[in-house]
Amino acid sequence: MSAIMLKSPREIEIMREAGRITAGARRVASEMIEPGVSTAEIDREVKKFILASGATPTFLGYGGFPACVCASVNEEVIHGIPGKRKLVAGDIVSIDVGATYHGYVGDCAATFLCGECTQEAKKLVEVTRQSFFEGIRQAVAGNRIGDISAAVQAYAESFGYGVVREYVGHGVGRQMHEAPEVPNYGRAGHGPRLVPGMTIAVEPMITAGDYAVRVLSNDWTVVTVDGSLAAHYENTILITDGEPELLTWPEGF
């Protein structure tokens, strides 16, 4: 990857707005998740929201991706392509969305329950979300990327869950994927040092079984090899002189 790009106060203000819009798009998706709704319908409404907010859908056309959101259901970890599939009670649905505002990107994700779900599914979703917050406790100036990574891994694995290796968090700014990479596993005290002005996406991808994954024949959708459930949680954050600022947090997920 290229050098880590620190953001100026002006750039941070733009990224706050990009983050607010992206978080709003995630909320739009979350409110639609119920039995009988198709993932294509969710994608359509999210696109309307992003465009009406004065932004553009970052994912649409990115590397050829055909939609505005990634909608990944049950054993699908990430990069699920929206389509005719209708959700059913008991599904868990990971929504990943990005919005570009005045040239800067917001990126966030969360996994939602569709109707009544099993306790196993609920726990996986809760632990995945909390693993993010365990990680960003370490997201303070002077620490290293590996401190975030190690905290996410330790928390998720303490429940016997798998931590996906092949896909990681990343820097965010003018591009959706910038330096540095932010793995969800690793050793504390290793990796680039965190400094104020860094903007990164921390995004645990956690499985109920083994962490091994594979890509489906559509060349996008990543699923667990063992068919176990998977969950995903992500926010774009800003490294400051104090606590990290969650740029995609305004909607409160």
Side-chain angles (χ1 to χ4, degrees), residues 199-247:
T199 48
I200 58 177
V202 178
E203 53 175 320
M205 290 158 268
I206 308 300
T207 67
D210 191 84
Y211 62 73
V213 297
R214 64 185 179 89
V215 181
L216 297 183
S217 59
N218 63 19
D219 293 330
W220 279 105
T221 308
V222 177
V223 301
T224 56
V225 170
D226 62 9
S228 62
L229 294 176
H232 183 197
Y233 187 81
E234 173 186 22
N235 280 300
T236 301
I237 70 171
L238 167 70
I239 305 301
T240 73
D241 289 318
E243 296 298 310
E245 178 182 343
L246 279 69
L247 300 179

Side-chain angles (χ1 to χ4, degrees), residues 138-144 193-196 239-242:
Q138 304 300 321
V140 295
N143 279 2
R144 294 185 179 272
R193 193 172 297 280
L194 301 174
V195 297
I239 305 301
T240 73
D241 289 318

Side-chain angles (χ1 to χ4, degrees), residues 104-204:
Y104 289 84
V105 175
D107 188 8
C108 66
T111 302
F112 303 101
L113 307 174
C114 181
E116 187 58 37
C117 293
T118 64
Q119 286 302 121
E120 175 196 15
K122 292 177 183 177
K123 182 178 177 182
L124 175 65
V125 171
E126 291 168 0
V127 169
T128 300
R129 181 181 184 278
Q130 186 59 34
S131 71
F132 166 87
F133 288 99
E134 296 296 322
I136 68 164
R137 286 182 181 178
Q138 304 300 321
V140 295
N143 279 2
R144 294 185 179 272
I145 291 292
D147 297 319
I148 299 174
S149 306
V152 170
Q153 181 180 14
Y155 186 78
E157 290 184 347
S158 73
F159 292 87
Y161 292 149
V163 179
V164 172
R165 269 42 172 188
E166 286 88 339
Y167 301 89
V168 299
H170 48 86
V172 185
R174 283 194 171 274
Q175 304 297 323
M176 182 162 59
H177 294 110
E178 297 184 348
E181 289 191 342
V182 186
N184 296 305
Y185 64 96
R187 296 170 58 193
H190 287 68
R193 193 172 297 280
L194 301 174
V195 297
M198 289 176 64
T199 48
I200 58 177
V202 178
E203 53 175 320

Side-chain angles (χ1 to χ4, degrees), residues 40-108:
E41 291 175 281
I42 295 171
D43 185 70
R44 183 164 58 247
E45 292 305 312
V46 167
K47 182 179 182 180
K48 288 180 184 178
F49 175 86
I50 292 173
L51 293 175
S53 300
T56 57
T58 310
F59 293 5
L60 184 60
Y62 185 87
F65 191 75
C68 300
V69 303
C70 298
S72 308
V73 183
N74 297 333
E75 78 282 0
E76 297 173 350
V77 184
I78 50 173
H79 303 164
I81 299 174
K84 296 179 180 178
R85 177 177 186 167
K86 291 185 182 295
L87 302 177
V88 300
D91 283 341
I92 63 172
V93 188
S94 297
I95 298 292
D96 191 359
V97 61
T100 302
Y101 178 77
H102 289 194
Y104 289 84
V105 175
D107 188 8
C108 66

